[in-house]
Amino acid sequence: MIEPGATIGIVGGGQLGRMLAIAAAQLGYRCHVFDPHEAPCAAEVAAKHTRAAFDDQAALKAFAADCAVVTYEFENLPSAPLGVIDAAIRPSRRSLEVSQDRAEEKAFLESAGARVAPWRTVDSAADARAAFEALGGPVLLKTRRMGYDGKGQAWLSAADEAETAHEAIGRQPAVAEAKVAFDAEFSVIVGRGPDGATAAFPVPRNEHRDGILRHSIVPAGPLVAPHEAEAVRLATGIAAALDHVGVITIEFFACADGPLVNEFAPRVHNSGHWTIEGAETSQFEQHVRAICGLPLGPTGLTGARVVMDNLIGRDVEAWPALIAEPGAHLHLYGKGEARDGRKMGHVTRVSRRA
Ligand code: AMP
């Protein structure tokens, strides 16, 4: 067990790291952020910041020597250099590696008993055309690596579009996925401790626009409810198959014939921000508890209905009205410029009545 007072290392200094550091501080831990940027928003609320490239092994070693445990807040990290601090990392590099390559991720998910959209690997425009024909189009091309918030993706709605779509994703190694006819999107957020204990949060329904999460709503409602028990069972199995320690988030499509996994993130997730006020334990505290070997906290709802709205880009300009609204819990990430598509903050409302 890693006791309060110890230092937790966080690789990555974005808003997830920031909210992890705040939760860790509440339990008496100190945080040390590792991030190449000058003033990452997590470093503003942490005790220390190492500014170095993610593949700087000397800096990683010195960083790990200062920390009782090291975690990561995003998965697009080069994994091999982290090998020098393997013993300190929770969740392990396996969770990281499987999640950062969409082809490996899908093969793993299938082996863990989950259903995913029919897919093919794509290394050329000819492969994209063949995938379109084999999967009976339309298909979505997604780069195998480094994609997030709908980036590195292109739809292919006719075989003739193979060349353009492949060009649009920068001719990178990719997967092609059949278009899923879903009724809703939802996610299962599970904490898992080093002893294998697990606790799932109530399931949010997630609404996206332009590939970016806009709203999470709990309870998820009638389109998702029939899938929840099965999805939680699958998510718990996926966490166990990875021997994952920490929080893991599995994103699902609710389909007529059952839940289909879209992807997973080996970490706390935007669709779990509502847990800060809406659950008995926040996803951030749960992650700290799990990686430190503390007992997992209870995950029940604190109200009848919880809604989280993301503040993307200039949405953040609404902050004066939001701060004045009773019951609106405003979170601003302290980022400078409100660029289009940039996650600047979020607001959560917990209602007593459904
Ligand atoms: P992703 O980056 O994989 O999470 O995709 C971003 C969003 O695109 C998802 O949340 C869905 O709304 C949509 N999407 C992704 N894959 C598919 C698919 N195979 N069929 C239909 N919509 C998809």
Side-chain angles (χ1 to χ4, degrees):
M1 187 191 292
I2 295 163
E3 296 188 4
T7 298
I8 297 173
I10 304 173
V11 182
Q15 68 270 12
L16 299 177
R18 179 180 173 100
M19 289 183 270
L20 272 175
I22 292 170
Q26 193 180 321
L27 291 177
Y29 293 97
R30 303 170 75 250
C31 287
H32 185 163
V33 169
F34 189 106
D35 187 287
H37 297 96
E38 187 181 346
C41 72
E44 288 174 5
V45 298
K48 275 195 189 174
H49 172 206
T50 292
R51 185 179 182 195
F54 290 128
D55 59 358
D56 181 338
Q57 293 194 312
L60 283 168
K61 270 192 196 165
F63 164 70
D66 182 55
C67 302
V69 61
V70 171
T71 193
Y72 44 88
E73 61 115 45
F74 80 126
E75 60 276 24
N76 290 326
L77 292 169
S79 172
L82 289 169
V84 290
I85 60 167
D86 242 353
I89 301 179
R90 281 181 173 168
S92 76
R93 279 197 303 143
R94 174 156 157 74
S95 294
L96 183 71
E97 284 168 359
V98 174
S99 69
Q100 63 186 197
D101 179 327
R102 287 191 192 271
E104 236 187 274
E105 180 182 32
K106 287 177 191 300
F108 162 77
L109 288 166
E110 288 175 326
S111 75
R115 291 192 315 135
V116 298
W119 64 285
R120 296 284 188 280
T121 53
V122 167
D123 291 315
S124 63
D127 285 353
R129 175 183 277 271
F132 178 88
E133 278 156 7
L135 299 173
V139 298
L140 185 53
L141 289 190
K142 299 180 177 180
T143 56
R144 283 176 68 158
R145 292 182 171 270
M146 302 299 275
Y148 68 98
D149 286 347
K151 293 191 171 63
Q153 301 189 1
W155 281 103
L156 188 54
S157 45
D160 292 354
E161 292 169 15
E163 180 62 38
T164 334
H166 192 240
E167 171 76 38
I169 59 157
R171 303 193 181 281
Q172 295 179 67
V175 296
E177 279 179 33
K179 180 175 186 171
V180 177
F182 54 80
D183 299 322
E185 294 185 75
F186 65 100
S187 52
V188 177
I189 303 157
V190 191
R192 184 169 185 275
D195 58 354
T198 57
F201 286 96
V203 169
R205 179 167 64 78
N206 301 322
E207 293 177 358
H208 296 79
R209 200 166 67 232
D210 304 328
I212 305 181
L213 180 71
R214 300 288 158 158
H215 315 283
S216 289
I217 301 142
V218 197
L223 295 176
V224 173
H227 303 289
E228 288 185 19
E230 168 73 353
V232 168
R233 190 186 65 73
L234 284 167
T236 307
I238 289 164
L242 290 166
D243 199 16
H244 188 88
V245 176
V247 165
I248 183 168
T249 305
I250 324 291
E251 293 184 59
F252 286 90
F253 297 122
C255 300
D257 55 352
L260 214 66
V261 176
N262 176 21
E263 60 182 358
F264 76 88
R267 53 167 169 79
V268 289
H269 194 259
N270 194 170
S271 65
H273 290 358
W274 63 271
T275 59
I276 298 176
E277 294 86 11
E280 291 170 284
T281 306
S282 81
Q283 63 166 349
F284 302 101
E285 177 176 332
Q286 197 74 306
H287 186 73
V288 170
R289 284 173 176 248
I291 63 173
C292 291
L294 306 178
L296 297 179
T299 55
L301 289 181
T302 59
R305 178 178 154 89
V306 188
V307 178
M308 188 284 310
D309 300 322
N310 263 344
L311 302 175
I312 314 254
R314 295 185 63 183
D315 292 350
V316 72
E317 291 169 7
W319 75 264
L322 294 169
I323 197 77
E325 180 188 324
H329 299 280
L330 179 63
H331 296 255
L332 300 175
Y333 306 149
K335 295 181 178 177
E337 199 195 336
R339 288 192 297 269
D340 279 357
R342 194 175 195 201
K343 291 176 176 171
M344 302 299 292
H346 72 267
V347 59
T348 299
R349 297 175 178 90
V350 182
S351 339
R352 276 198 216 113
R353 277 178 298 175

Short mmCIF file of all heavy atoms in Angstrom, two decimals, residues 23 26 189-191 199-204 217-219 247 271-287 289 296-308 329 331 346 348-351:
data_model
loop_
_atom_site.label_atom_id
_atom_site.label_comp_id
_atom_site.label_asym_id
_atom_site.label_seq_id
_atom_site.Cartn_x
_atom_site.Cartn_y
_atom_site.Cartn_z
N ALA A 23 -7.51 15.36 -6.82
CA ALA A 23 -8.05 14.27 -6.00
C ALA A 23 -6.96 13.67 -5.11
O ALA A 23 -7.21 13.33 -3.94
CB ALA A 23 -8.65 13.18 -6.90
N GLN A 26 -6.28 15.84 -2.12
CA GLN A 26 -7.33 15.72 -1.09
C GLN A 26 -7.05 14.55 -0.15
O GLN A 26 -7.42 14.58 1.02
CB GLN A 26 -8.67 15.54 -1.80
CG GLN A 26 -9.86 15.72 -0.90
CD GLN A 26 -11.16 15.52 -1.66
OE1 GLN A 26 -11.28 15.94 -2.82
NE2 GLN A 26 -12.11 14.87 -1.04
N ILE A 189 -17.11 2.76 -16.74
CA ILE A 189 -15.89 3.21 -16.07
C ILE A 189 -15.72 2.31 -14.85
O ILE A 189 -16.61 2.25 -13.99
CB ILE A 189 -16.03 4.69 -15.66
CG1 ILE A 189 -16.34 5.54 -16.91
CG2 ILE A 189 -14.78 5.20 -14.94
CD1 ILE A 189 -17.02 6.84 -16.61
N VAL A 190 -14.62 1.59 -14.82
CA VAL A 190 -14.40 0.60 -13.75
C VAL A 190 -13.08 0.88 -13.06
O VAL A 190 -12.07 1.14 -13.73
CB VAL A 190 -14.27 -0.83 -14.33
CG1 VAL A 190 -14.30 -1.88 -13.21
CG2 VAL A 190 -15.31 -1.14 -15.34
N GLY A 191 -13.07 0.80 -11.76
CA GLY A 191 -11.81 0.84 -11.00
C GLY A 191 -11.43 -0.59 -10.65
O GLY A 191 -12.29 -1.41 -10.32
N ALA A 199 -14.86 -2.10 -9.07
CA ALA A 199 -16.09 -1.35 -8.78
C ALA A 199 -16.42 -0.53 -10.03
O ALA A 199 -15.59 0.25 -10.50
CB ALA A 199 -15.87 -0.42 -7.59
N ALA A 200 -17.61 -0.76 -10.59
CA ALA A 200 -18.04 -0.01 -11.78
C ALA A 200 -18.91 1.16 -11.34
O ALA A 200 -19.68 1.05 -10.38
CB ALA A 200 -18.82 -0.93 -12.72
N PHE A 201 -18.80 2.26 -12.04
CA PHE A 201 -19.68 3.41 -11.79
C PHE A 201 -21.00 3.20 -12.54
O PHE A 201 -21.05 2.45 -13.52
CB PHE A 201 -19.03 4.70 -12.31
CG PHE A 201 -17.90 5.18 -11.43
CD1 PHE A 201 -16.59 4.86 -11.73
CD2 PHE A 201 -18.17 5.95 -10.30
CE1 PHE A 201 -15.54 5.29 -10.91
CE2 PHE A 201 -17.13 6.39 -9.48
CZ PHE A 201 -15.83 6.06 -9.79
N PRO A 202 -22.07 3.89 -12.10
CA PRO A 202 -23.29 3.89 -12.90
C PRO A 202 -22.93 4.35 -14.33
O PRO A 202 -22.00 5.15 -14.51
CB PRO A 202 -24.17 4.92 -12.19
CG PRO A 202 -23.67 4.93 -10.77
CD PRO A 202 -22.18 4.71 -10.88
N VAL A 203 -23.67 3.84 -15.29
CA VAL A 203 -23.29 4.00 -16.70
C VAL A 203 -23.82 5.31 -17.28
O VAL A 203 -25.02 5.57 -17.22
CB VAL A 203 -23.86 2.80 -17.50
CG1 VAL A 203 -23.74 3.01 -19.00
CG2 VAL A 203 -23.16 1.52 -17.06
N PRO A 204 -22.96 6.17 -17.85
CA PRO A 204 -23.44 7.36 -18.53
C PRO A 204 -23.77 7.10 -20.01
O PRO A 204 -23.10 6.30 -20.66
CB PRO A 204 -22.26 8.33 -18.44
CG PRO A 204 -21.05 7.45 -18.39
CD PRO A 204 -21.48 6.15 -17.75
N ILE A 217 -24.86 11.74 -19.51
CA ILE A 217 -26.11 11.79 -18.76
C ILE A 217 -26.28 10.48 -18.00
O ILE A 217 -26.17 9.40 -18.59
CB ILE A 217 -27.29 11.99 -19.75
CG1 ILE A 217 -27.07 13.29 -20.53
CG2 ILE A 217 -28.64 12.02 -19.03
CD1 ILE A 217 -27.47 13.21 -21.97
N VAL A 218 -26.54 10.60 -16.70
CA VAL A 218 -26.70 9.41 -15.84
C VAL A 218 -27.97 9.58 -15.01
O VAL A 218 -28.14 10.68 -14.44
CB VAL A 218 -25.52 9.25 -14.86
CG1 VAL A 218 -25.48 7.85 -14.29
CG2 VAL A 218 -24.20 9.61 -15.51
N PRO A 219 -28.86 8.61 -14.89
CA PRO A 219 -28.84 7.31 -15.55
C PRO A 219 -28.94 7.47 -17.07
O PRO A 219 -29.45 8.46 -17.57
CB PRO A 219 -30.07 6.58 -15.00
CG PRO A 219 -30.48 7.35 -13.78
CD PRO A 219 -30.01 8.75 -13.99
N VAL A 247 -8.21 3.00 -13.00
CA VAL A 247 -9.51 3.13 -13.67
C VAL A 247 -9.31 2.82 -15.15
O VAL A 247 -8.28 3.15 -15.74
CB VAL A 247 -10.08 4.56 -13.46
CG1 VAL A 247 -11.22 4.85 -14.42
CG2 VAL A 247 -10.57 4.71 -12.01
N SER A 271 -15.97 11.01 -20.05
CA SER A 271 -17.35 10.60 -19.75
C SER A 271 -17.54 10.25 -18.27
O SER A 271 -18.64 9.86 -17.87
CB SER A 271 -17.77 9.43 -20.65
OG SER A 271 -16.99 8.28 -20.36
N GLY A 272 -16.47 10.39 -17.47
CA GLY A 272 -16.58 10.15 -16.03
C GLY A 272 -16.41 11.40 -15.19
O GLY A 272 -16.37 11.33 -13.96
N HIS A 273 -16.34 12.56 -15.84
CA HIS A 273 -16.15 13.80 -15.06
C HIS A 273 -17.32 14.07 -14.12
O HIS A 273 -17.16 14.68 -13.06
CB HIS A 273 -15.96 15.01 -15.98
CG HIS A 273 -14.65 15.01 -16.72
ND1 HIS A 273 -13.69 14.03 -16.56
CD2 HIS A 273 -14.13 15.88 -17.63
CE1 HIS A 273 -12.65 14.30 -17.33
NE2 HIS A 273 -12.91 15.41 -18.00
N TRP A 274 -18.50 13.61 -14.51
CA TRP A 274 -19.69 13.80 -13.67
C TRP A 274 -19.53 13.16 -12.29
O TRP A 274 -20.23 13.56 -11.35
CB TRP A 274 -20.93 13.22 -14.38
CG TRP A 274 -20.81 11.73 -14.58
CD1 TRP A 274 -20.27 11.08 -15.65
CD2 TRP A 274 -21.22 10.71 -13.67
NE1 TRP A 274 -20.30 9.72 -15.47
CE2 TRP A 274 -20.88 9.46 -14.25
CE3 TRP A 274 -21.82 10.72 -12.40
CZ2 TRP A 274 -21.13 8.26 -13.62
CZ3 TRP A 274 -22.08 9.50 -11.77
CH2 TRP A 274 -21.73 8.29 -12.39
N THR A 275 -18.62 12.19 -12.16
CA THR A 275 -18.49 11.49 -10.88
C THR A 275 -17.96 12.41 -9.77
O THR A 275 -18.08 12.08 -8.60
CB THR A 275 -17.56 10.26 -10.99
OG1 THR A 275 -16.26 10.71 -11.44
CG2 THR A 275 -18.11 9.23 -11.97
N ILE A 276 -17.34 13.54 -10.15
CA ILE A 276 -16.76 14.42 -9.11
C ILE A 276 -17.86 14.85 -8.14
O ILE A 276 -17.69 14.75 -6.92
CB ILE A 276 -16.04 15.64 -9.73
CG1 ILE A 276 -14.88 15.17 -10.60
CG2 ILE A 276 -15.54 16.58 -8.63
CD1 ILE A 276 -14.16 16.31 -11.35
N GLU A 277 -18.98 15.30 -8.68
CA GLU A 277 -20.10 15.66 -7.77
C GLU A 277 -21.21 14.62 -7.78
O GLU A 277 -22.02 14.58 -6.86
CB GLU A 277 -20.71 17.02 -8.16
CG GLU A 277 -19.79 18.20 -7.97
CD GLU A 277 -18.88 18.46 -9.17
OE1 GLU A 277 -19.10 17.85 -10.24
OE2 GLU A 277 -17.95 19.28 -9.02
N GLY A 278 -21.28 13.81 -8.84
CA GLY A 278 -22.43 12.93 -9.03
C GLY A 278 -22.29 11.53 -8.48
O GLY A 278 -23.27 10.76 -8.48
N ALA A 279 -21.10 11.16 -8.02
CA ALA A 279 -20.92 9.80 -7.45
C ALA A 279 -20.28 9.91 -6.07
O ALA A 279 -19.63 10.91 -5.75
CB ALA A 279 -20.05 8.95 -8.38
N GLU A 280 -20.46 8.88 -5.28
CA GLU A 280 -19.93 8.90 -3.90
C GLU A 280 -18.41 9.01 -3.87
O GLU A 280 -17.84 9.56 -2.94
CB GLU A 280 -20.36 7.63 -3.17
CG GLU A 280 -21.85 7.58 -2.90
CD GLU A 280 -22.25 6.21 -2.41
OE1 GLU A 280 -22.34 5.28 -3.25
OE2 GLU A 280 -22.48 6.05 -1.19
N THR A 281 -17.76 8.45 -4.90
CA THR A 281 -16.31 8.59 -5.05
C THR A 281 -16.08 9.06 -6.47
O THR A 281 -16.74 8.56 -7.38
CB THR A 281 -15.63 7.21 -4.85
OG1 THR A 281 -16.05 6.66 -3.60
CG2 THR A 281 -14.11 7.31 -4.88
N SER A 282 -15.19 10.00 -6.71
CA SER A 282 -14.97 10.43 -8.10
C SER A 282 -14.07 9.42 -8.80
O SER A 282 -13.32 8.67 -8.16
CB SER A 282 -14.33 11.81 -8.15
OG SER A 282 -12.92 11.71 -7.93
N GLN A 283 -14.13 9.42 -10.15
CA GLN A 283 -13.24 8.52 -10.90
C GLN A 283 -11.77 8.83 -10.60
O GLN A 283 -10.93 7.93 -10.64
CB GLN A 283 -13.52 8.61 -12.40
CG GLN A 283 -13.25 9.99 -13.01
CD GLN A 283 -13.20 9.97 -14.54
OE1 GLN A 283 -13.16 8.92 -15.18
NE2 GLN A 283 -13.21 11.15 -15.15
N PHE A 284 -11.47 10.09 -10.31
CA PHE A 284 -10.08 10.48 -10.06
C PHE A 284 -9.60 9.92 -8.73
O PHE A 284 -8.52 9.35 -8.62
CB PHE A 284 -9.95 12.02 -10.11
CG PHE A 284 -10.40 12.57 -11.44
CD1 PHE A 284 -11.66 13.15 -11.59
CD2 PHE A 284 -9.58 12.47 -12.55
CE1 PHE A 284 -12.08 13.63 -12.82
CE2 PHE A 284 -10.00 12.95 -13.79
CZ PHE A 284 -11.25 13.54 -13.92
N GLU A 285 -10.44 10.08 -7.70
CA GLU A 285 -10.09 9.49 -6.41
C GLU A 285 -10.00 7.97 -6.53
O GLU A 285 -9.11 7.34 -5.95
CB GLU A 285 -11.12 9.88 -5.34
CG GLU A 285 -10.79 9.22 -4.00
CD GLU A 285 -11.71 9.64 -2.86
OE1 GLU A 285 -12.24 10.76 -2.89
OE2 GLU A 285 -11.85 8.82 -1.93
N GLN A 286 -10.92 7.39 -7.30
CA GLN A 286 -10.90 5.92 -7.44
C GLN A 286 -9.59 5.46 -8.07
O GLN A 286 -9.02 4.43 -7.67
CB GLN A 286 -12.10 5.48 -8.30
CG GLN A 286 -12.44 4.03 -8.21
CD GLN A 286 -13.13 3.68 -6.89
OE1 GLN A 286 -12.61 3.98 -5.81
NE2 GLN A 286 -14.28 3.06 -6.96
N HIS A 287 -9.12 6.21 -9.05
CA HIS A 287 -7.86 5.84 -9.70
C HIS A 287 -6.70 5.93 -8.69
O HIS A 287 -5.86 5.03 -8.63
CB HIS A 287 -7.60 6.75 -10.90
CG HIS A 287 -6.41 6.35 -11.70
ND1 HIS A 287 -6.40 5.23 -12.52
CD2 HIS A 287 -5.16 6.88 -11.80
CE1 HIS A 287 -5.20 5.11 -13.09
NE2 HIS A 287 -4.43 6.10 -12.66
N ARG A 289 -6.96 5.70 -5.43
CA ARG A 289 -7.13 4.57 -4.49
C ARG A 289 -6.57 3.29 -5.09
O ARG A 289 -5.86 2.53 -4.43
CB ARG A 289 -8.61 4.37 -4.17
CG ARG A 289 -9.19 5.42 -3.20
CD ARG A 289 -10.70 5.21 -3.11
NE ARG A 289 -11.34 6.08 -2.15
CZ ARG A 289 -11.90 5.66 -1.01
NH1 ARG A 289 -11.90 4.38 -0.68
NH2 ARG A 289 -12.47 6.51 -0.19
N LEU A 296 -11.17 0.35 -2.72
CA LEU A 296 -11.95 1.15 -3.68
C LEU A 296 -13.12 1.79 -2.96
O LEU A 296 -13.66 1.22 -2.01
CB LEU A 296 -12.45 0.26 -4.82
CG LEU A 296 -11.36 -0.40 -5.68
CD1 LEU A 296 -12.00 -1.28 -6.76
CD2 LEU A 296 -10.45 0.66 -6.32
N GLY A 297 -13.52 2.97 -3.42
CA GLY A 297 -14.64 3.67 -2.79
C GLY A 297 -15.97 3.27 -3.42
O GLY A 297 -16.00 2.72 -4.52
N PRO A 298 -17.08 3.58 -2.72
CA PRO A 298 -18.41 3.29 -3.27
C PRO A 298 -18.69 4.18 -4.48
O PRO A 298 -18.16 5.28 -4.58
CB PRO A 298 -19.35 3.62 -2.12
CG PRO A 298 -18.60 4.59 -1.26
CD PRO A 298 -17.14 4.27 -1.42
N THR A 299 -19.51 3.68 -5.40
CA THR A 299 -19.69 4.36 -6.69
C THR A 299 -21.12 4.85 -6.93
O THR A 299 -21.45 5.25 -8.04
CB THR A 299 -19.29 3.42 -7.84
OG1 THR A 299 -20.05 2.23 -7.70
CG2 THR A 299 -17.81 3.09 -7.82
N GLY A 300 -21.96 4.79 -5.90
CA GLY A 300 -23.38 5.14 -6.09
C GLY A 300 -23.58 6.60 -6.47
O GLY A 300 -22.72 7.46 -6.23
N LEU A 301 -24.74 6.88 -7.07
CA LEU A 301 -25.10 8.25 -7.45
C LEU A 301 -25.42 9.08 -6.21
O LEU A 301 -25.99 8.58 -5.25
CB LEU A 301 -26.35 8.24 -8.34
CG LEU A 301 -26.23 7.70 -9.76
CD1 LEU A 301 -27.58 7.79 -10.46
CD2 LEU A 301 -25.19 8.49 -10.52
N THR A 302 -25.09 10.37 -6.27
CA THR A 302 -25.43 11.26 -5.16
C THR A 302 -26.77 11.96 -5.38
O THR A 302 -27.23 12.71 -4.52
CB THR A 302 -24.35 12.34 -4.98
OG1 THR A 302 -24.27 13.09 -6.20
CG2 THR A 302 -22.98 11.74 -4.67
N GLY A 303 -27.36 11.76 -6.55
CA GLY A 303 -28.65 12.37 -6.85
C GLY A 303 -29.43 11.45 -7.76
O GLY A 303 -29.01 10.31 -8.02
N ALA A 304 -30.57 11.96 -8.28
CA ALA A 304 -31.39 11.11 -9.13
C ALA A 304 -30.92 11.17 -10.58
O ALA A 304 -31.06 10.21 -11.34
CB ALA A 304 -32.85 11.55 -9.06
N ARG A 305 -30.36 12.31 -10.96
CA ARG A 305 -29.93 12.49 -12.36
C ARG A 305 -28.73 13.44 -12.39
O ARG A 305 -28.70 14.45 -11.69
CB ARG A 305 -31.10 13.09 -13.15
CG ARG A 305 -30.83 13.38 -14.60
CD ARG A 305 -32.11 13.93 -15.24
NE ARG A 305 -31.81 14.77 -16.39
CZ ARG A 305 -31.70 14.33 -17.64
NH1 ARG A 305 -31.86 13.05 -17.91
NH2 ARG A 305 -31.43 15.15 -18.62
N VAL A 306 -27.74 13.07 -13.20
CA VAL A 306 -26.53 13.89 -13.31
C VAL A 306 -26.26 14.17 -14.79
O VAL A 306 -26.33 13.24 -15.61
CB VAL A 306 -25.30 13.15 -12.71
CG1 VAL A 306 -24.10 14.09 -12.64
CG2 VAL A 306 -25.60 12.57 -11.34
N VAL A 307 -25.99 15.42 -15.10
CA VAL A 307 -25.66 15.79 -16.49
C VAL A 307 -24.35 16.57 -16.50
O VAL A 307 -24.19 17.53 -15.76
CB VAL A 307 -26.79 16.64 -17.13
CG1 VAL A 307 -26.41 17.04 -18.56
CG2 VAL A 307 -28.11 15.87 -17.12
N MET A 308 -23.42 16.12 -17.33
CA MET A 308 -22.14 16.82 -17.50
C MET A 308 -22.11 17.39 -18.91
O MET A 308 -22.36 16.68 -19.88
CB MET A 308 -20.99 15.82 -17.31
CG MET A 308 -19.59 16.38 -17.27
SD MET A 308 -18.77 16.89 -18.80
CE MET A 308 -18.98 15.54 -19.91
N HIS A 329 -21.96 23.00 -11.18
CA HIS A 329 -20.58 22.85 -10.69
C HIS A 329 -19.63 23.11 -11.85
O HIS A 329 -19.53 22.28 -12.77
CB HIS A 329 -20.36 21.45 -10.12
CG HIS A 329 -21.26 21.15 -8.97
ND1 HIS A 329 -21.02 21.60 -7.70
CD2 HIS A 329 -22.42 20.46 -8.91
CE1 HIS A 329 -21.98 21.20 -6.90
NE2 HIS A 329 -22.84 20.50 -7.61
N HIS A 331 -16.09 23.64 -13.70
CA HIS A 331 -14.67 23.27 -13.67
C HIS A 331 -13.98 23.92 -14.85
O HIS A 331 -14.37 23.67 -16.00
CB HIS A 331 -14.50 21.75 -13.78
CG HIS A 331 -15.09 21.00 -12.62
ND1 HIS A 331 -14.32 20.44 -11.63
CD2 HIS A 331 -16.38 20.75 -12.29
CE1 HIS A 331 -15.12 19.87 -10.74
NE2 HIS A 331 -16.37 20.05 -11.11
N HIS A 346 -15.70 21.97 -17.92
CA HIS A 346 -16.99 21.27 -17.98
C HIS A 346 -17.87 21.77 -16.85
O HIS A 346 -17.39 22.43 -15.92
CB HIS A 346 -16.81 19.75 -17.94
CG HIS A 346 -16.41 19.20 -16.60
ND1 HIS A 346 -15.09 19.00 -16.24
CD2 HIS A 346 -17.15 18.83 -15.52
CE1 HIS A 346 -15.04 18.53 -15.01
NE2 HIS A 346 -16.27 18.42 -14.54
N THR A 348 -21.20 20.38 -14.32
CA THR A 348 -22.01 19.23 -13.91
C THR A 348 -23.18 19.71 -13.08
O THR A 348 -23.02 20.55 -12.19
CB THR A 348 -21.15 18.23 -13.09
OG1 THR A 348 -20.08 17.78 -13.90
CG2 THR A 348 -21.97 17.03 -12.63
N ARG A 349 -24.36 19.17 -13.38
CA ARG A 349 -25.55 19.48 -12.59
C ARG A 349 -26.13 18.18 -12.04
O ARG A 349 -26.35 17.25 -12.80
CB ARG A 349 -26.60 20.19 -13.46
CG ARG A 349 -26.13 21.55 -13.99
CD ARG A 349 -27.16 22.15 -14.94
NE ARG A 349 -26.77 23.47 -15.42
CZ ARG A 349 -26.05 23.69 -16.53
NH1 ARG A 349 -25.63 22.67 -17.27
NH2 ARG A 349 -25.75 24.92 -16.90
N VAL A 350 -26.33 18.15 -10.74
CA VAL A 350 -26.89 16.96 -10.09
C VAL A 350 -28.31 17.32 -9.64
O VAL A 350 -28.48 18.30 -8.90
CB VAL A 350 -26.06 16.55 -8.85
CG1 VAL A 350 -26.61 15.28 -8.20
CG2 VAL A 350 -24.58 16.36 -9.22
N SER A 351 -29.31 16.58 -10.13
CA SER A 351 -30.69 16.89 -9.71
C SER A 351 -31.19 15.87 -8.71
O SER A 351 -30.83 14.69 -8.79
CB SER A 351 -31.69 16.89 -10.86
OG SER A 351 -31.06 17.05 -12.08
#
